[in-house]
Amino acid sequence: MTKWQDVAPEQLIAILESGEADASQIIDVRESYEWDYYHLEHTTLIPMNTIPGRLDELPTNKTLYIVCAHGVRSEAVCRYLEEQGYSDLRNVTGGMAAIASLRNFQYD
């Protein structure tokens, strides 16, 4: 049974704007060149392939919001983190492309 849940990009934006989550909770798993092109303020970049070696940077007592370009890598990271014992995980559906679209930015 999956412990993580999907969250819509609109919800993530609302969470950011309300201050409900801080940068340690919103993990962008894209590559640095993708981050450089477009990213949200108050988020943390931890590329997908570096997650296993950086687990100590992820809080275990807070909800984690995982975001990538379109929602595929973030879903894989949610599955991996779940296997590592994390339980309060949210996959941002549509990823940064959907978030950018909501903010009238052409992502891809």
Side-chain angles (χ1 to χ4, degrees):
M1 184 174 147
T2 301
K3 295 178 187 173
W4 56 271
Q5 300 172 15
D6 286 333
V7 64
E10 299 89 346
Q11 292 173 287
L12 180 65
I13 291 171
I15 288 165
L16 275 170
E17 290 174 353
S18 72
E20 184 180 325
D22 60 44
S24 72
Q25 294 174 258
I26 303 169
I27 310 302
D28 190 324
V29 298
R30 296 174 303 149
E31 296 299 320
S32 59
Y33 70 89
E34 294 171 290
W35 168 272
D36 291 342
Y37 178 66
Y38 184 80
H39 68 272
L40 294 171
E41 297 296 320
H42 311 296
T43 61
T44 301
L45 175 65
I46 304 179
M48 180 178 174
N49 64 342
T50 68
I51 292 282
R54 298 178 64 182
L55 290 176
D56 61 333
E57 297 176 41
L58 301 175
T60 57
N61 60 341
K62 297 179 181 179
T63 302
L64 295 179
Y65 299 87
I66 312 299
V67 63
C68 67
H70 296 279
V72 177
R73 285 176 281 180
S74 56
E75 183 176 315
V77 169
C78 283
R79 288 179 201 270
Y80 174 77
L81 291 175
E82 184 178 86
E83 291 169 1
Q84 304 311 305
Y86 289 83
S87 60
D88 202 359
L89 303 166
R90 304 291 182 272
N91 174 49
V92 181
T93 59
M96 290 305 296
I99 291 168
S101 177
L102 290 171
R103 293 186 163 189
N104 297 316
F105 181 84
Q106 183 63 42
Y107 182 76
D108 50 13

